[in-house]
Amino acid sequence: MSGISDSDVKRLITQITGFQKGDENFELCLQFAVNNFKYHRFQSVDPTKITRRLDGIATKFAVHSQKDKSDKLKELIEKFLHLPLTNNSTQTKTDAHYSVLSVLLDLSDCPTETVFTEKKQVTEESKEEEFDWGEYLLEGVDTRRYYFSDTSDEEEEESEEEELAVINQSELETVAEISDARCTLDKVKDWLERNLVVQYWIGRGNEQESIGRFPTSNLHTHWERFQASDNPFHVSRNEFITESQLIREILWMLLGVTETYLFIFDGRRYSVNTDVYLSHLTDECLDTCLQKFICYGDKIVALNSFCEDVLEQTRDLQDLTLVTQSYQAFVGTLTQFLHDYQKRLSVEQIKVRDQLVPMTLSVLSEDLDQWFEKVDLVYSIYITGIAAAAELDSNILKVSHLLNVMFKMLIDHDTLGSQDKDKLRLLLIMWIQTCEPYLTILSDWINTGNLEDPREDFLIQRNKTVQSFDETFWESAFDLRLKSNIDMSSSKISQDIDISDATTIPKFLKPVLKEVVLTGKSMELLMSMGKAESVLKMSGSDFDQKSLYQIFINNLVEILGTNSTSETVEATPRDITLARQPNSQYGGATSSPTGGSVTPSRQLSAWEMEEYLKTKGVFDPLLAINFQEIINEVKTSAILPAVKKEDDLSVLKTLDLDSLQPLEIVLQKCLYPYIQDRYAEVCPELILIVKNQHNLLQHLTDMRSFFFMEAGDTMYEFYSNLFDRIKKHEEWRDESILSLMLEDALESHFSHCTHRLSVEVRPPTENDRSPIALTDCIILHYQVPWPASLVISQKYQARYNEIFSFLLQIKRAQYSLEQLNFKDLERKNLLKSFSLSPMKDQPASDTELSTSAKIHQMQIFRFNLLYFVNSFNNYIMTRILSSTVLEFEKNMKKAGDLDEIIAAHIDYLHVTYHRCLLDPSLGPLKYAICKVLNLVLVFQNYWEQGAEEISGNAIEEMDTTFSRCVRFLTSFLNSVVKRGSFPHLEFLAFQMQSLLKTVGNM
């Protein structure tokens, strides 16, 4: 119990329990308290933890821009720790010191929100005690004096009477002083009665003292008499207040105070106390006058409640999505408006208090009308932008709705030519400050590739499951919230978004949303590649120094200018623009802060600088250029001071809104060009890196060489071995065999692709039942490295394989016809010749053709089939693949971003797939061609058996089938060409027309 005395404990017991010393209960309490003080089981305070907590609070003050609090706290803590805790102790920094600090920390509540005002400590000068030198020198000396009177008794009586007279005189003076004190007390009471507010809230208002000499001041009394005489059941109000008291109550109510005497608050709205009346107004007139103020009081309470709710939800760190950053920014600008509004009401309170000017209800209403209009405007934003969106189920819908409502109101006020520039400026300031989190997220994304949106404000969200190195990054790494059906990789993103619900996207961002998305995705890819430095170095803008929000404000100042009323003349960016124009009124002399005339120095040209250097005997063009740049930088920095973030609000309040330009166009000029410039810097740089450093064009060329068989010799070596194995009925459905054949074919000209190209054999399907579709089970795989895989992904390789399978069918038919040997056709069946030797001289029947005739027809039919297959092969390889590649290469050169490159590649595949007649809409045409290709394989089997094994009916049947297919193709292609639907089919239609003449003559 060091530092705690018994008297302190006894006083504590008496204060808490009321027991007095000597009571039995008092002794029990004393024993209990002393034991607990001495032998308590509480842990001793840890000075290290207390110091850490105090340092944390000081740091928190500094983070919240409360440096004065932080410094003062450190100073007081240091001073306290170096002082003894009690008068009887000399120790410092004891456990008791830290215990006191611990108690104070536990008692503290929201120290950052506490208003701190440093009080000046008045140090009383210690008065030196006067030293009584006389007493000191006379110490030990008997100073008593003895008088021996030699007078008579009468003389002694006279002296006693004189002494009594002196005593009576002093008593009279004391009485006079008491009477003067009583007079002073009466004056004090009189001053208090005149200056203290009458307690009207408990019914002490006196109407008689406030009645004026004018008849209208007693209107309520006369009207109540009339009401009482007319209606015997009329009940009068009985609580009188003056108009000054009423105005004070109104001001408190307008400040948001809910506990007042005159106005009763039920949790949502105010109502008037029905027992209150004014002497010069009737009850009905008073209620009517107060309804206007009550209306605005309700609005202020609603706005304050909204701010408190948002701040309360913001403190919840468990769920960051409760309140969006945009809502917090809106609450910040709303709080600033309410603060300005309260300052204006404080001015009215001073008027009422000092009574310097007459103050009535009508005067108060007229004084506050301008602010009431602003309250109406802000409240309408709250109702339409916040309350109306309360039922929406996502943060992005709420944020977009709020921004769109504010933007629409801003544009409407500007379009309608509102004369109240203060309301327009208020709308502009609130909209800009509400947009700050949105612009900050956007700025970070397009500058660093980092899309951080913890509270789900932003329109676009990052899919965390997709990494930057995934080939599906461009398609699925980002998507629109609530609009997942929109392809974020498509170049038609703007069209898809325009048809979407307008409430899901901030209107001011729609025209540049495509550039924002592409720039953000491109920037993240550059960061993943480690190539972001090249973009930052080539950037000529201020994106690496300033946020998009700050640039937006600076551009507003530059375009609109400011109406500065400060005494110091500072040129705005608009002044610079005008000063650089010829014949500008700013081009002449300008006034200095001191009132004189200052002629600005004219900007020197490079030629004048060279001439000046020549006169000094120095001629160095590089030096002249450096001087020129230095002069320009000095002039710009002197004329255009940087706008600091803490001055944003003051700058926005001084914007000149008298510009003839529509405000919507001004906002677009301030925001869009910088996003478009960033797009023009980042996206082409990504294309350049992907093309040059990651060989995108080379990979596309290699894929065309293999999948589209543009490498004719190499692919011929591969499929010729394959077709020979099929013809000889050898094993070929083995991936190892096919891989070995492919490697042998690639070894001569494409050895660098052997590790990238592989073969897979999939199980046969129902579509593989036709003979020509036997090779459709062969699938090629080309391993594309990242980031080229973003363009050539596995999804698009499936389309490549469909075209490859169809080309392989054509090559098989062509190879089968080309490998037919005429000796095989003339080969004789020896067994059949011996068995038919006795009937050698018998004539042939009518249904059977001679062997020579069969050979002749087979040869003609072979040439017709070969003509058909070669024509179709030439159409595919020259008219389709070659011409389509030229269009694709042209589109690749024009592409400005990776999205356009992917779109060009997709279009190239789609056009190639369609022109190769693989599109489902051209199904009949493909069916006829595949029927001819199957006929080629049937014809090959007949050919290899020999002419003697072929019946005339089989030849006739094959010819009939072929003729029907050719006629169908000719008719179909001619009709299509005449309509102009497919101009690329004109060549094939001409070839079929020529073949039809030959087939018709057979």
Side-chain angles (χ1 to χ4, degrees):
M1 244 176 68
S2 61
I4 302 178
S5 61
D6 292 340
S7 60
D8 293 334
V9 178
K10 293 177 181 179
R11 288 171 56 199
L12 178 64
I13 295 172
T14 304
Q15 186 69 25
I16 295 177
T17 62
F19 299 145
Q20 300 297 327
K21 186 176 180 181
D23 297 343
E24 180 181 359
N25 292 330
F26 182 85
E27 296 299 331
L28 291 176
C29 292
L30 178 62
Q31 183 180 1
F32 174 80
V34 170
N35 289 335
N36 275 277
F37 276 125
K38 288 184 178 180
Y39 310 109
H40 65 82
R41 290 175 292 177
F42 298 105
Q43 294 182 356
S44 300
V45 66
D46 189 352
T48 305
K49 292 184 179 180
I50 298 301
T51 304
R52 189 183 301 116
R53 289 179 62 186
L54 292 171
D55 291 341
I57 293 179
T59 305
K60 191 173 183 179
F61 284 147
V63 170
H64 286 74
S65 301
Q66 298 178 0
K67 193 172 184 303
D68 52 346
K69 281 188 181 181
S70 177
D71 296 340
K72 193 63 179 177
L73 177 63
K74 294 179 180 178
E75 178 186 347
L76 293 177
I77 292 172
E78 191 67 21
K79 184 177 179 181
F80 172 72
L81 292 175
H82 286 82
L83 290 176
L85 195 61
T86 62
N87 295 331
N88 300 328
S89 174
T90 59
Q91 297 179 355
T92 60
K93 288 190 176 181
T94 61
D95 289 345
H97 285 80
Y98 288 101
S99 299
V100 173
L101 292 177
S102 178
V103 172
L104 293 177
L105 284 174
D106 294 336
L107 293 176
S108 64
D109 184 17
C110 297
T112 55
E113 297 182 3
T114 303
V115 179
F116 171 71
T117 303
E118 183 177 358
K119 296 181 180 180
K120 295 183 179 179
Q121 297 182 355
V122 180
T123 57
E124 296 183 358
E125 297 181 357
S126 59
K127 297 182 180 179
E128 297 182 359
E129 297 181 359
E130 296 182 359
F131 190 79
D132 191 353
W133 287 98
E135 184 180 356
Y136 174 74
L137 294 174
L138 294 176
E139 185 176 358
V141 179
D142 188 6
T143 57
R144 290 176 295 177
R145 294 181 181 181
Y146 301 94
Y147 297 94
F148 300 95
S149 176
D150 54 356
T151 60
S152 61
D153 294 337
E154 295 179 357
E155 292 177 351
E156 290 179 359
E157 290 179 0
E158 290 179 0
S159 61
E160 289 178 359
E161 290 178 0
E162 291 178 357
E163 290 177 0
L164 289 174
V166 172
I167 293 173
N168 292 334
Q169 182 66 27
S170 61
E171 289 179 356
L172 291 175
E173 292 178 355
T174 304
V175 172
E177 291 177 358
I178 293 173
S179 62
D180 291 341
R182 289 177 179 175
C183 293
T184 303
L185 182 60
D186 294 338
K187 293 180 180 179
V188 170
K189 288 182 178 180
D190 182 61
W191 182 90
L192 289 175
E193 290 177 356
R194 286 186 290 103
N195 290 275
L196 283 181
V197 177
V198 178
Q199 295 179 333
Y200 57 89
W201 53 88
I202 58 175
R204 292 187 179 182
N206 191 350
E207 182 179 3
Q208 300 298 326
E209 296 179 357
S210 303
I211 294 178
R213 64 181 183 275
F214 297 101
T216 53
S217 63
N218 302 321
L219 177 62
H220 182 268
T221 302
H222 300 318
W223 179 253
E224 287 299 313
R225 290 174 182 173
F226 171 76
Q227 291 283 81
S229 62
D230 186 61
N231 183 9
F233 298 100
H234 174 69
V235 179
S236 301
R237 301 184 180 185
N238 52 13
E239 299 293 341
F240 168 77
I241 61 173
T242 64
E243 191 165 7
S244 298
Q245 296 167 352
L246 175 62
I247 292 175
R248 280 190 145 181
E249 292 271 346
I250 291 174
L251 291 175
W252 294 337
M253 185 259 304
L254 292 177
L255 285 171
V257 178
T258 56
E259 296 181 0
T260 62
Y261 170 70
L262 180 60
F263 301 99
I264 302 172
F265 187 71
D266 61 359
R268 292 186 60 191
R269 299 181 181 279
Y270 286 101
S271 59
V272 182
N273 188 347
T274 55
D275 291 336
V276 175
Y277 69 92
L278 287 180
S279 61
H280 59 282
L281 290 179
T282 62
D283 297 340
E284 293 78 5
C285 181
L286 176 62
D287 294 341
T288 304
C289 293
L290 294 180
Q291 286 304 317
K292 176 181 179 180
F293 298 104
I294 288 176
C295 176
Y296 290 103
D298 294 340
K299 294 178 180 180
I300 293 300
V301 169
L303 295 177
N304 285 328
S305 300
F306 169 70
C307 294
E308 292 173 0
D309 293 342
V310 170
L311 292 176
E312 183 66 27
Q313 294 176 3
T314 304
R315 298 189 184 100
D316 187 3
L317 300 179
Q318 300 297 327
D319 187 2
L320 296 180
T321 60
L322 285 177
V323 181
T324 63
Q325 296 182 30
S326 299
Y327 268 36
Q328 295 178 29
F330 177 73
V331 168
T333 185
L334 178 58
T335 304
Q336 181 63 41
F337 166 76
L338 293 176
H339 177 69
D340 296 340
Y341 165 76
Q342 291 170 359
K343 286 173 62 177
R344 182 65 182 85
L345 293 182
S346 299
V347 174
E348 298 297 324
Q349 279 188 321
I350 294 174
K351 291 181 181 179
V352 176
R353 183 196 65 190
D354 297 341
Q355 299 181 359
L356 299 178
V357 294
M359 204 66 182
T360 62
L361 289 176
S362 59
V363 172
L364 178 64
S365 176
E366 184 179 354
D367 290 347
L368 296 178
D369 274 344
Q370 187 176 4
W371 277 95
F372 284 162
E373 292 178 1
K374 293 181 180 180
V375 172
D376 284 333
L377 181 63
V378 175
Y379 186 74
S380 64
I381 295 175
Y382 165 72
I383 291 297
T384 57
I386 303 293
E391 300 299 327
L392 297 178
D393 55 355
S394 66
N395 287 346
I396 178 58
L397 288 178
K398 295 179 180 179
V399 172
S400 299
H401 180 76
L402 174 61
L403 295 179
N404 286 334
V405 165
M406 297 181 70
F407 186 75
K408 184 178 183 300
M409 294 178 65
L410 178 63
I411 300 305
D412 289 346
H413 275 73
D414 181 62
T415 304
L416 297 176
S418 176
Q419 298 298 321
D420 192 352
K421 296 300 179 182
D422 289 339
K423 293 171 62 177
L424 183 61
R425 181 174 287 103
L426 175 63
L427 273 174
L428 179 61
I429 292 174
M430 296 188 71
W431 179 76
I432 291 176
Q433 292 186 336
T434 305
C435 289
E436 181 179 2
Y438 216 90
L439 295 179
T440 302
I441 296 173
L442 190 152
S443 178
D444 291 341
W445 191 28
I446 65 178
N447 290 328
T448 64
N450 186 23
L451 182 56
E452 288 293 338
D453 185 18
R455 297 186 180 270
E456 299 180 0
D457 289 72
F458 201 54
L459 171 68
I460 299 163
Q461 61 182 349
R462 177 71 165 87
N463 187 357
K464 299 296 183 180
T465 60
V466 181
Q467 302 298 324
S468 302
F469 299 98
D470 295 344
E471 66 176 17
T472 59
F473 167 81
W474 199 261
E475 300 173 357
S476 55
F478 300 92
D479 54 11
L480 294 174
R481 300 187 192 273
L482 305 179
K483 293 292 177 183
S484 57
N485 58 330
I486 296 179
D487 186 5
M488 294 296 289
S489 66
S490 173
S491 60
K492 298 180 180 180
I493 183 174
S494 57
Q495 288 83 351
D496 293 338
I497 291 174
D498 287 339
I499 64 176
S500 64
D501 188 4
T503 60
T504 61
I505 302 173
K507 185 178 178 182
F508 74 95
L509 196 59
K510 275 187 180 181
V512 290
L513 182 59
K514 176 186 173 183
E515 286 80 0
V516 168
V517 173
L518 296 177
T519 306
K521 292 198 289 187
S522 301
M523 194 64 197
E524 183 170 346
L525 284 177
L526 288 175
M527 294 291 290
S528 301
M529 296 178 191
K531 304 294 182 181
E533 293 183 0
S534 59
V535 178
L536 296 177
K537 288 180 180 178
M538 68 179 288
S539 175
S541 62
D542 295 335
F543 278 99
D544 48 347
Q545 291 88 13
K546 298 180 182 178
S547 66
L548 187 60
Y549 172 75
Q550 194 65 40
I551 292 174
F552 181 48
I553 293 180
N554 291 347
N555 288 313
L556 272 178
V557 175
E558 182 177 353
I559 294 177
L560 296 178
T562 57
N563 293 326
S564 180
T565 57
S566 60
E567 296 180 1
T568 305
V569 178
E570 294 181 357
T572 64
R574 186 184 181 190
D575 298 334
I576 296 177
T577 305
L578 295 174
R580 291 177 179 174
Q581 297 177 359
N583 304 327
S584 172
Q585 62 176 342
Y586 292 85
T590 59
S591 59
S592 66
T594 58
S597 178
V598 178
T599 303
S601 58
R602 183 171 54 86
Q603 183 176 351
L604 296 178
S605 64
W607 179 81
E608 291 174 332
M609 182 60 69
E610 286 185 10
E611 292 296 325
Y612 178 77
L613 292 176
K614 286 180 181 180
T615 58
K616 297 297 182 180
V618 179
F619 177 68
D620 188 347
L622 182 59
L623 187 60
I625 294 174
N626 290 332
F627 270 114
Q628 184 67 33
E629 292 180 354
I630 292 174
I631 292 174
N632 290 340
E633 291 179 0
V634 171
K635 287 185 176 181
T636 303
S637 62
I639 298 177
L640 181 58
V643 180
K644 299 181 180 179
K645 184 174 181 58
E646 56 267 18
D647 297 333
D648 290 345
L649 182 60
S650 59
V651 170
L652 291 174
K653 288 182 178 180
T654 60
L655 285 176
D656 184 8
L657 299 180
D658 294 329
S659 174
L660 296 178
Q661 301 183 60
L663 194 57
E664 184 174 9
I665 305 300
V666 173
L667 296 178
Q668 293 176 1
K669 288 181 180 180
C670 296
L671 184 63
Y672 296 168
Y674 295 91
I675 296 177
Q676 293 165 352
D677 290 345
R678 193 62 177 163
Y679 164 82
E681 293 168 357
V682 175
C683 294
E685 183 68 14
L686 176 64
I687 292 177
L688 218 59
I689 292 174
V690 174
K691 283 184 178 179
N692 298 338
Q693 300 183 18
H694 296 276
N695 304 320
L696 173 63
L697 299 180
Q698 183 61 43
H699 291 304
L700 289 171
T701 303
D702 291 341
M703 290 199 65
R704 291 198 306 270
S705 300
F706 307 135
F707 288 88
F708 296 166
M709 299 187 182
E710 290 185 359
D713 296 342
T714 300
M715 296 309 296
Y716 179 81
E717 184 178 353
F718 168 71
Y719 65 68
S720 61
N721 294 332
L722 172 65
F723 297 154
D724 289 341
R725 281 182 169 272
I726 295 175
K727 181 180 178 181
K728 296 176 183 179
H729 302 286
E730 297 178 358
E731 177 62 30
W732 63 275
R733 293 180 182 270
D734 190 349
E735 292 184 1
S736 60
I737 296 175
L738 293 176
S739 298
L740 184 60
M741 292 167 53
L742 184 60
E743 288 181 6
D744 292 340
L746 296 175
E747 192 64 34
S748 57
H749 299 291
F750 294 93
S751 58
H752 62 281
C753 295
T754 54
H755 66 287
R756 298 193 181 280
L757 195 62
S758 60
V759 183
E760 177 190 356
V761 179
R762 62 171 176 81
T765 60
E766 295 182 358
N767 298 328
D768 300 342
R769 292 181 178 180
S770 61
I772 198 64
L774 185 65
T775 57
D776 287 355
C777 62
I778 299 176
I779 304 297
L780 292 182
H781 291 289
Y782 185 86
Q783 185 179 357
V784 185
W786 184 88
S789 60
L790 297 173
V791 181
I792 316 170
S793 63
Q794 293 296 327
K795 181 176 68 174
Y796 302 132
Q797 286 196 31
R799 184 57 58 90
Y800 272 97
N801 272 297
E802 290 183 31
I803 300 174
F804 169 74
S805 298
F806 185 61
L807 292 178
L808 198 60
Q809 295 177 7
I810 299 172
K811 296 298 182 182
R812 184 184 177 191
Q814 186 183 30
Y815 182 79
S816 300
L817 291 174
E818 290 176 349
Q819 296 299 316
L820 293 178
N821 195 341
F822 287 100
K823 293 180 180 180
D824 295 338
L825 186 62
E826 297 174 356
R827 182 172 55 189
K828 296 182 179 180
N829 192 339
L830 298 178
L831 295 175
K832 187 176 181 179
S833 62
F834 283 119
S835 63
L836 296 176
S837 58
M839 301 177 61
K840 183 177 180 181
D841 297 335
Q842 292 182 0
S845 63
D846 296 337
T847 57
E848 292 292 333
L849 298 175
S850 62
T851 303
S852 59
K854 292 178 183 179
I855 292 174
H856 179 68
Q857 287 190 0
M858 290 290 286
Q859 290 176 348
I860 293 176
F861 193 57
R862 172 183 177 273
F863 283 116
N864 287 335
L865 288 175
L866 191 58
Y867 178 83
F868 177 89
V869 173
N870 286 338
S871 298
F872 191 68
N873 181 70
N874 292 336
Y875 161 76
I876 294 294
M877 301 302 296
T878 58
R879 297 287 178 172
I880 302 302
L881 297 180
S882 298
S883 60
T884 309
V885 166
L886 295 177
E887 297 177 6
F888 173 55
E889 291 176 349
K890 184 179 179 181
N891 293 333
M892 289 285 287
K893 291 181 180 179
K894 295 190 301 182
D897 52 65
L898 189 61
D899 202 67
E900 292 183 1
I901 285 184
I902 295 176
H905 181 244
I906 295 174
D907 290 342
Y908 166 67
L909 284 180
H910 176 73
V911 170
T912 304
Y913 184 80
H914 183 78
R915 292 183 179 180
C916 288
L917 310 180
L918 298 176
D919 194 89
S921 61
L922 300 175
L925 198 60
K926 181 189 174 184
Y927 175 78
I929 294 173
C930 290
K931 195 169 186 179
V932 175
L933 298 180
N934 281 316
L935 188 61
V936 170
L937 298 182
V938 175
F939 177 76
Q940 180 191 18
N941 291 333
Y942 282 132
W943 183 285
E944 293 176 350
Q945 292 176 8
E948 293 182 357
E949 297 295 328
I950 303 174
S951 65
N953 292 333
I955 297 175
E956 184 178 357
E957 184 179 353
M958 287 190 298
D959 182 63
T960 302
T961 303
F962 181 67
S963 299
R964 288 178 179 175
C965 290
V966 172
R967 287 190 179 92
F968 170 75
L969 290 172
T970 304
S971 174
F972 184 87
L973 292 173
N974 286 334
S975 62
V976 168
V977 170
K978 287 179 181 178
R979 290 200 307 264
S981 304
F982 305 97
H984 57 277
L985 293 174
E986 186 176 352
F987 171 79
L988 186 60
F990 177 75
Q991 297 292 331
M992 294 298 103
Q993 187 69 33
S994 302
L995 181 61
L996 183 60
K997 297 177 181 179
T998 306
V999 173
N1001 295 329
M1002 289 180 60

